[in-house]
Amino acid sequence: MSSRSPDEFRLGVRPYDQGFRGGDEPEDPHELLHRARRLTAEGHPGAGGAWERAATALRRAGGALTPGDHADALDATALDCRGAALPAAGPLFFRAADLHEQAGQRGKALVSRARALVAGPGPGGGPGPGATACARLAELRERATALHAVGQADTAETATVRLLHASARADLLDTAPDPMAEAAAVREELDRLLAFAAPHREDPAVLGVLADTRAVLGRITAPDDPAAALSQLRASIDDHRAGGRPWPATEQQLLLSALLRTTGAFEEAAALLRAALAPEVPGPPLRAGDRARLCLALARTVAGAGERWPTTGGPEVADEEIPLLAESVHHSDGPSDDVRVGALARLRLGVAYAERGRCLEASTLLERALAGFSEEVDTAARVRARAWLADCALRLGESGRASREYALAAVEALSWDDRRHGAALSHRTADALGAAGAPEKAARAYERAADLWRAAGDHAAAARSLRARSRQVRIAWGDVAAEVVLAEAAREAARGRRGSAGSRAAHDRPVGAAVPVEHARPTPVAGETRRPAHEVHSGDGTVDACDGAPTDVAAHAETESRTESRTESGIEAGIEAGAGTEVGLGLGSEEDSMTDSETDSEADSEADSEADSEADSEADSGVDQGSGVGGPWPGLRELPEPFGPWGRYQVNVYGEVGGTGQRAATAAGTRVQGCE
């Protein structure tokens, strides 16, 4: 009987890895069978491939696997299912459990059933067990304890079932009514498991369970006690090595390196990841998917170290990120077929190219990353990819394309609790429309951005959008209409000055708190027919943009400089004095220590000089300040992190636990970089 018989194995996918094939591979079927049994007992990552070759050789020799061997083969093959092959793991484990029962291996049968529940789809079709599966795992844990008491399940089997139940509870911590209390209960359960298994640590199988137990314990301890978590994760890796396992403990290494980054130990984290990628002791090669994740984590570590100490590493350290991300892309496209890791690596690589001015290469990568994110529910990945793609298009002179990508990103960002990102992206949409030579559409887009800023309680940012709108109105409808918009911008800036303390309080409001729209849309100015902003339909890609519009930024700048008057300049200087001192989206300084009267006095005294220099600067550029034509828009780096841990105790693709990573850009009180 083949370990990949048609009714059990042909599930439309191949295993994640066909296993380590040593150079001294035996030819005799019984030698191959002995080798597969040994690798299974050791927990070797190449056991699945060894069983495959043993079953094939036995079938050719007229033999067959026993039910017990067949069950072990199915278990090993299911453990190899990663990436696109992951859905096949659950059915294989269930079939293995039935065969273990036939062979009288009741302890192994319980382990296989527990693994099938963990590998099965969770609530909503997502990975991981839900509450129902966790309850069934609790039943299996009790059965394993009872079998162990009568000698029908050994310590390693019983400890494995107990660990799988505790891991499932850990995965559900953030859904509990009191996550911290539940985390404390899970830690107690894991401590009892350590006490149960520790006296039998001479058994390599038990030592492996101890290593995995400490890893889970470190993971759920990290948000509350990072120092204790570091100790547990280091002990986990030590137990892994002490158990005679030369192959990498990738999950533990990712968790440990992420926690080291959180504590500022970037050099130690980088050394750990480099050692994992190029171990000193020869052993089984890394799986492609594991190498992809390790490269991605090392690139993140290198980038974090460069941001923390920008003068210590020089260009060599900064440029190390690019080859690491390229290698991650390469390995994620291999046998692992990990779409999420591959798309995220392409996004990071595209951003790295864009930051270095390689916009053509960046655009290609970002487009492929966006295609990979199409099936994801995490909008942060799509928003970030579209925003960087738009920024590259703007710098390449493709303003119409930039406006479409910014508009699509803005629509998705408006679904977030923090609406400031959507407002900033709407402002960027208008910038691109203006650069594309579509003043009417740009004026409507700036109006939409101003409305969004008002809804977010940021009057200074609303004044900035209105001021930008006035320039487009001047081009489309003339000076009189523009001055009406400028007067409204001045009133908006005054509201921002009067309510600066309230504005700061609004930024400190918990994420998701409702903010009323304090002001209705302004009355249509003379010469303008007010039309509602066109909706952006992300499904078919239509946006309120100007396909085929001229992209001659210099001509647009010349027109703007000819029509701009000293009257406008004086009013704009007053607006700048008000808007520039507000907190929010990069429109000014972080703190405003001046009183209203001091601000007004300073604005009056400096209005003429600021107006002259600002008018000259804008006439030269032809686009709004901060448009990003000469370099990346600073607000891109403030967008929420793609695939960040969604809960305090969850782990992302980098191995970072939710409670220990950097604060998300949408956290309450976080300053969001906007349109300068």
Side-chain angles (χ1 to χ4, degrees):
M1 180 184 299
S2 168
S3 67
R4 289 180 65 82
S5 57
D7 59 331
E8 296 165 7
F9 279 76
R10 294 179 183 176
L11 302 177
V13 292
R14 293 184 61 79
Y16 170 78
D17 189 3
Q18 291 300 305
F20 171 67
R21 186 189 294 269
D24 56 346
E25 187 78 19
E27 298 293 337
D28 182 78
H30 297 287
E31 287 294 326
L32 287 169
L33 185 60
H34 174 73
R35 180 188 181 88
R37 288 169 177 163
R38 176 172 57 81
L39 293 178
T40 297
E42 295 173 353
H44 196 287
W51 280 112
E52 180 83 12
R53 293 186 290 276
T56 300
L58 281 171
R59 186 177 64 250
R60 289 173 178 170
L65 293 174
T66 65
D69 285 339
H70 191 187
D72 286 340
L74 291 170
D75 278 332
T77 303
L79 289 170
D80 270 345
C81 291
R82 312 282 182 89
L86 188 59
L92 293 176
F93 280 129
F94 276 125
R95 176 59 177 151
D98 292 339
L99 290 169
H100 282 307
E101 292 282 2
Q102 292 180 23
Q105 300 167 338
R106 300 182 65 186
K108 285 187 174 183
L110 289 179
V111 172
S112 296
R113 294 193 190 285
R115 284 174 171 163
L117 291 172
V118 171
T132 302
C134 193
R136 294 178 62 188
L137 284 166
E139 297 174 1
L140 294 177
R141 179 197 59 187
E142 299 304 321
R143 289 172 58 187
T145 301
L147 288 177
H148 181 264
V150 296
Q152 294 187 19
D154 62 28
T155 301
E157 293 161 356
T158 305
T160 299
V161 176
R162 292 178 62 174
L163 173 60
L164 290 169
H165 173 253
S167 297
R169 289 185 68 187
D171 290 338
L172 296 173
L173 283 178
D174 289 288
T175 65
D178 187 346
M180 296 185 69
E182 179 67 8
V186 176
R187 282 194 288 271
E188 291 180 5
E189 180 178 348
L190 291 167
D191 286 337
R192 291 194 296 271
L193 176 54
L194 290 174
F196 168 76
H200 307 277
R201 60 181 295 119
E202 70 280 354
D203 182 350
V206 174
L207 202 52
V209 178
L210 285 171
D212 293 338
T213 302
R214 293 189 189 280
V216 177
L217 191 56
R219 166 194 154 188
I220 65 174
T221 302
D224 305 312
D225 191 348
L230 282 172
S231 177
Q232 291 290 352
L233 291 170
R234 287 191 172 107
S236 172
I237 293 177
D238 289 342
D239 283 347
H240 178 83
R241 292 169 180 165
R245 298 180 173 190
W247 48 92
T250 302
E251 295 300 327
Q252 291 95 319
Q253 290 163 337
L254 286 169
L255 283 167
L256 179 55
S257 66
L259 195 54
L260 289 169
R261 284 196 302 275
T262 301
T263 59
F266 286 92
E267 292 184 4
E268 186 179 353
L272 173 67
L273 293 169
R274 288 190 180 102
L277 288 165
E280 297 179 0
V281 179
L286 273 171
R287 292 183 170 100
D290 290 343
R291 182 171 291 278
R293 290 184 65 196
L294 289 167
C295 287
L296 191 61
L298 182 54
R300 188 173 181 83
T301 304
V302 169
E307 292 172 1
R308 191 177 179 89
W309 300 291
T311 61
T312 59
E316 294 81 6
V317 173
D319 289 341
E320 185 182 1
E321 182 184 10
I322 288 180
L324 285 169
L325 291 171
E327 186 175 356
S328 180
V329 169
H330 170 72
H331 288 291
S332 63
D333 289 342
S336 65
D337 192 22
D338 195 325
V339 175
R340 173 172 290 199
V341 173
L344 185 55
R346 283 189 174 86
L347 173 59
R348 294 286 307 275
L349 184 57
V351 169
Y353 280 152
E355 289 178 331
R356 290 159 177 79
R358 299 164 63 175
C359 292
L360 282 174
E361 296 166 276
S363 295
T364 301
L365 285 162
L366 292 168
E367 286 172 351
R368 291 196 62 188
L370 192 56
F373 294 140
S374 61
E375 300 299 325
E376 295 291 345
V377 296
D378 193 330
T379 60
R382 291 195 298 272
V383 168
R384 181 169 288 222
R386 287 194 185 283
W388 275 100
L389 193 57
D391 192 82
C392 288
L394 195 60
R395 286 191 277 161
L396 290 169
E398 302 173 2
S399 305
R401 180 188 181 194
S403 68
R404 289 191 294 274
E405 294 296 345
Y406 274 134
L408 290 168
V411 167
E412 295 210 68
L414 288 174
S415 67
W416 299 339
D417 291 334
D418 188 339
R419 296 298 183 90
R420 293 174 294 164
H421 295 290
L425 288 165
S426 295
H427 189 114
R428 298 292 296 164
T429 303
D431 286 344
L433 288 167
E440 295 182 11
K441 292 183 177 181
R444 291 195 296 274
Y446 281 127
E447 181 190 18
R448 171 64 171 158
D451 289 345
L452 292 170
W453 287 125
R454 288 193 192 98
D458 194 332
H459 299 289
R464 177 62 63 90
S465 293
L466 288 170
R467 177 177 171 275
R469 168 175 161 77
S470 72
R471 291 197 294 275
Q472 302 301 322
V473 169
R474 184 177 301 281
I475 298 170
W477 295 289
D479 291 350
V480 175
E483 290 186 15
V484 173
V485 179
L486 279 172
E488 165 125 21
R491 291 193 296 271
E492 198 69 42
R495 294 186 191 104
R497 288 198 301 275
R498 289 194 300 269
S500 59
S503 177
R504 291 191 189 93
H507 283 293
D508 291 335
R509 183 183 289 107
V511 174
V515 182
V517 180
E518 299 181 16
H519 303 284
R521 296 172 67 133
T523 303
V525 300
E528 178 190 2
T529 300
R530 178 65 56 80
R531 290 182 293 173
H534 291 244
E535 293 184 358
V536 180
H537 305 285
S538 58
D540 57 10
T542 58
V543 299
D544 185 9
C546 47
D547 294 335
T551 59
D552 190 348
V553 176
H556 173 64
E558 184 178 354
T559 303
E560 184 176 8
S561 64
R562 285 200 308 266
T563 58
E564 202 155 314
S565 65
R566 284 288 296 207
T567 302
E568 177 195 3
S569 299
I571 297 174
E572 287 181 359
I575 296 170
E576 283 298 293
T581 57
E582 290 295 332
V583 177
L585 290 104
L587 298 178
S589 60
E590 290 284 352
E591 298 294 338
D592 179 14
S593 59
M594 295 188 292
T595 64
D596 290 345
S597 61
E598 291 171 336
T599 303
D600 293 339
S601 175
E602 182 173 309
D604 293 338
S605 64
E606 298 181 0
D608 290 340
S609 61
E610 288 180 357
D612 289 340
S613 61
E614 187 172 70
D616 292 342
S617 171
E618 290 176 358
D620 290 340
S621 67
V623 291
D624 288 328
Q625 291 179 351
S627 66
V629 171
W633 168 45
L636 290 167
R637 298 177 182 85
E638 301 296 334
L639 292 171
E641 182 72 20
F643 302 131
W646 60 266
R648 180 178 178 83
Y649 297 100
Q650 300 303 309
V651 182
N652 67 7
V653 70
Y654 301 105
E656 297 163 344
V657 185
T660 61
Q662 296 180 351
R663 285 170 45 131
T666 52
T670 302
R671 179 175 182 269
V672 181
Q673 181 70 39
C675 303
E676 299 276 354

